[in-house]
Amino acid sequence: MGRAAGAWTVAVVFLVGMIGTTLPTPLYPIYERHFGFGGLVVTLVFAAYAVGVLAALLLVGDLSDRVGRRPVLGAGVAFAVVSGAVFLIDAVPALFAGRVLSGISAGIFTGTATATIVDLAPARRASRSGLLAAAVNMLGLGLGPVTAGVLAQFAPWPLRLPYAVHLVLMLLLGAALLAVPEPVRRPAGRVRLRVQRLSVPAEVRGTFVPAAIAGFAGFAVLGLFTSVSPLFLTGVLGIEDHAVTGAVVFVLLGSSTIGQVASESLDRHRCLVGGCAVLAAGVLVVAAGIGTRSLWAFLLGAVVAGLGQGMSFRSGLTSVTAGAPADQRSGVSSAFFVVLYVALSLPVIGVGAAAQAFGIVPAGVVFAGIVAVLAVGAGLVLARRTS
């Protein structure tokens, strides 16, 4: 296929791959009842996912710069398929193993798929290709909870059917990758797997740092919301509808996608600073919703925070990928996502542990306040850097 068709094919693979990484989000209450464990185990399960993501970003983050994009994307598909198969096993160890494998798949896709989409796009459309990669990432993360929630609520086998459907889709899309053109020329000689040094080329460092600051704040919000939402809906509001749980998580991630598209024509620096300000405002409304036990305030805060996160994430990712040298693009993208996934993991683990000790309402309010302060601080730092 041509390069444009190849970019769209990789985008679809990326989208479906990221859907698989968030399928368990609305299913955790079912897992808790089925296996009889508490919220602390759910936190540990997410920690297992974070370990998988970071391990993949550090081990294979720049691998596609050395061996080609398609082999590494194929590995991402393979890990997604194996993850889905492991999730079908009815055992707690399989849940942990499935999350680690899912995290590895996510870590492979985030850096390599982003670089491939940018590589295959014409140079004059580098900004558009960066937007496509960012939007697909967030949209996939958002559609995962919706897909699993709807299937769990209205179809049989809630702990198996979502993974089975995803497994089949990934097998079909993996075959489609064979027709995608390879944009990287493979060097001669043996290539060894190595831990990537988190270094950024000098020519892109001035872009990378502000993008990473804003991205860290934005992904901390994602971590906060995805950890608080299921606990808040089921434990505080008494909402047991799994489709509703998935839809609530989608509100934030769907709003992020809208924020990315709507801010495409805006100046990058304004998006970074303005995104952090909107992000902070949205998180404060989320905190108010948790504190007052108001679903509508919670959702309003999610919409506002999602718009801010989308603005800053799109601007940062587009700048980093477009400015990176072509032969180091995957490594730079992966280094960027290492920062983001560290930010994503900290609130999830912190909220999970604090909720066990103090309850979800005080834990959610306190962590929302911390994340809001982080977003304000990031905005102030960026404003000073760009003034």
Side-chain angles (χ1 to χ4, degrees), residues 30-346:
I30 306 178
Y31 279 120
E32 290 186 49
R33 292 193 297 268
H34 182 67
F35 291 119
F37 55 63
L40 182 59
V41 175
V42 174
T43 301
L44 295 176
V45 169
F46 188 89
Y49 169 74
V51 167
V53 174
L54 295 174
L57 287 170
L58 292 172
L59 283 172
V60 301
D62 64 345
L63 185 62
S64 73
D65 291 330
R66 295 180 284 133
V67 304
R69 306 291 191 223
R70 286 201 320 183
V72 180
L73 288 174
V77 171
F79 274 104
V81 169
V82 175
S83 169
V86 170
F87 274 124
L88 297 177
I89 302 172
D90 188 16
V92 174
L95 179 59
F96 278 91
R99 288 306 278 158
V100 172
L101 293 168
S102 179
I104 293 174
S105 173
I108 292 173
F109 278 130
T110 48
T112 306
T114 297
T116 309
I117 292 170
V118 175
D119 286 341
L120 292 175
R124 66 183 183 278
R125 294 186 178 179
S127 177
R128 284 287 180 89
S129 61
L131 171 62
L132 175 61
V136 162
N137 194 336
M138 288 297 107
L139 189 59
L141 292 172
L143 288 175
V146 173
T147 302
V150 170
L151 290 175
Q153 188 66 33
F154 301 110
W157 314 302
L159 297 183
R160 290 185 174 84
L161 186 60
Y163 304 115
V165 171
H166 184 258
L167 189 158
V168 172
L169 287 175
M170 289 308 297
L171 285 173
L172 295 174
L173 291 171
L177 277 179
L178 297 174
V180 172
E182 173 57 68
V184 173
R185 182 175 299 174
R186 302 181 188 183
R190 185 177 178 182
V191 177
R192 294 181 178 179
L193 195 64
R194 66 191 184 193
V195 176
Q196 177 186 345
R197 293 178 55 205
L198 294 182
S199 60
V200 178
E203 58 265 43
V204 76
R205 206 166 292 159
T207 300
F208 185 93
V209 173
I213 292 172
F216 189 94
F219 268 63
V221 171
L222 295 185
L224 171 74
F225 195 80
T226 53
S227 61
V228 166
S229 294
L231 298 173
F232 178 65
L233 293 175
T234 58
V236 177
L237 301 183
I239 297 175
E240 299 288 343
D241 190 308
H242 308 299
V244 171
T245 302
V248 168
V249 176
F250 179 77
V251 166
L252 178 72
L253 294 161
S255 298
S256 171
T257 305
I258 293 172
Q260 292 170 38
V261 175
S263 65
E264 182 190 3
S265 60
L266 299 180
D267 176 77
R268 177 175 66 89
H269 299 307
R270 290 181 181 177
C271 279
L272 292 175
V273 177
C276 288
V278 175
L279 193 64
V283 175
L284 290 176
V285 178
V286 168
I290 297 172
T292 60
R293 293 168 170 79
S294 168
L295 176 60
W296 295 111
F298 189 72
L299 292 175
L300 175 62
V303 170
V304 176
L307 291 172
Q309 192 274 340
M311 291 171 59
S312 57
F313 175 60
R314 189 275 312 166
S315 178
L317 182 63
T318 299
S319 301
V320 167
T321 54
D327 61 346
Q328 300 179 60
R329 185 167 286 139
S330 181
V332 172
S333 298
S334 296
F336 182 64
F337 279 106
V338 166
V339 176
L340 303 192
Y341 272 93
V342 168
L344 179 75
S345 305
L346 293 177

